[in-house]
Amino acid sequence: MAGLREVVRALLDRPGVAAVAVVSGDGLTIDHAARGDFDAETVAALIPGIIQNARRLGSTAERGELGLGVLEFDRGLAVFSALGPESMLLVLVDPGTNVGELLHDLRTHRPALQQLG
């Protein structure tokens, strides 16, 4: 089985992926890779709050546990997923990128990703 570093690099190798980060529950970078400039520490500090609020939304709206989320911005997408109680995955995707296969793979391989996180 591939290690965390290999998974992060493999995700970055996908077409249209600009950055990948695995973040601890307290907002610290566990691992990351990016094409170009990417302030991993600042971004990592923001992810736990987003995940916490997404989980609260799922609970309050009776949608269940958080699987993954997608936020759309002018310059691309941010795909995030809770890997467990103590780690999260963030994938930044360039605009116009078809993310269907990425979302499918993140859902399909979530149990294996959770073991790495």
Side-chain angles (χ1 to χ4, degrees):
M1 177 181 211
L4 181 61
R5 181 165 297 274
E6 290 81 14
V7 171
V8 167
R9 298 306 180 276
L11 286 169
L12 184 66
D13 286 342
R14 286 174 171 264
V17 172
V20 179
V22 178
V23 178
S24 71
D26 54 358
L28 300 175
T29 305
I30 297 171
D31 196 4
H32 77 281
R35 295 183 189 156
D37 293 330
F38 176 63
D39 185 355
E41 288 74 30
T42 301
V43 171
L46 299 171
I47 299 303
I50 293 169
I51 296 284
Q52 180 182 15
N53 285 315
R55 284 178 168 152
R56 188 175 300 146
L57 173 63
S59 174
T60 302
E62 298 180 1
R63 300 289 95 186
E65 291 295 316
L66 174 65
L68 60 87
V70 178
L71 299 173
E72 181 179 11
F73 300 95
D74 290 342
R75 288 186 241 154
L77 301 174
V79 179
F80 59 92
S81 179
L83 297 180
E86 296 302 319
S87 61
M88 296 135 239
L89 174 70
L90 171 70
V91 181
L92 298 181
V93 183
D94 294 330
T97 300
N98 183 341
V99 295
E101 186 176 331
L102 172 66
L103 297 177
H104 175 267
D105 288 348
L106 290 176
R107 280 188 204 107
T108 302
H109 300 293
R110 185 175 300 127
L113 289 170
Q114 288 173 334
Q115 290 180 0
L116 293 174

